[in-house]
Amino acid sequence: MEHRKIEFNVGDAVTVHASQSGPQSLATVASFTHDKRCMVLSDGSQWRADGRRQWGFRGSYYKGPVVLPTEEGDADFIAKRRSIGAIRKFAQDLTMDSPLDAAALKRIVDLIQAEQKKTG
């Protein structure tokens, strides 16, 4: 991921990006500390003012997540990834002893089948 020099201001909408998995979360710039060298986001996380968390140690270089201005599609990407995670967890914990009745499970299956027909 290319990182260009970006200046942030309080109130800017930003997206935290992982270097490999893309957008992770949405936030806004809440404040700056340490003579504007540290940026604090609405989720409480702290970043260098340029949005990077990168450092070198004993000749190794680690590129962690970065903060970038929010772009169109970031919110949808994050919502889809979180939804997939919730559905997977739900399905993993689903057994005959689950509290959902047959009608509720049938509604879920019907929605899945309807979506598959749209995309199939």
Side-chain angles (χ1 to χ4, degrees), residues 71-88:
E71 294 182 4
E72 188 175 332
D74 286 353
D76 289 339
F77 183 91
I78 292 166
K80 183 175 181 179
R81 190 168 81 195
R82 288 183 179 170
S83 296
I84 289 169
I87 292 167
R88 283 181 176 165

Side-chain angles (χ1 to χ4, degrees), residues 4-120:
R4 56 198 184 280
K5 182 149 174 69
I6 302 169
E7 289 197 25
F8 295 98
N9 298 301
V10 171
D12 285 353
V14 296
T15 302
V16 178
H17 284 259
S19 56
Q20 293 180 351
S21 59
Q24 287 184 325
S25 63
L26 301 173
T28 56
V29 178
S31 64
F32 289 91
T33 61
H34 299 90
D35 295 325
K36 251 195 138 181
R37 290 181 312 208
C38 179
M39 176 172 56
V40 181
L41 301 184
S42 57
D43 64 4
S45 63
Q46 295 184 1
W47 299 80
R48 286 181 10 186
D50 64 359
R52 297 182 187 194
R53 278 192 182 170
Q54 300 180 351
W55 62 88
F57 180 72
R58 293 186 182 170
S60 297
Y61 185 71
Y62 170 78
K63 181 180 179 192
V66 296
V67 173
L68 297 171
T70 298
E71 294 182 4
E72 188 175 332
D74 286 353
D76 289 339
F77 183 91
I78 292 166
K80 183 175 181 179
R81 190 168 81 195
R82 288 183 179 170
S83 296
I84 289 169
I87 292 167
R88 283 181 176 165
K89 177 159 179 27
F90 171 78
Q92 178 181 346
D93 295 339
L94 193 60
T95 67
M96 288 301 289
D97 297 327
S98 296
L100 290 176
D101 62 16
L105 292 169
K106 179 76 171 100
R107 287 192 305 271
I108 293 168
V109 170
D110 290 345
L111 285 171
I112 291 169
Q113 289 174 342
E115 287 298 316
Q116 287 174 333
K117 284 180 185 174
K118 281 188 210 177
T119 60

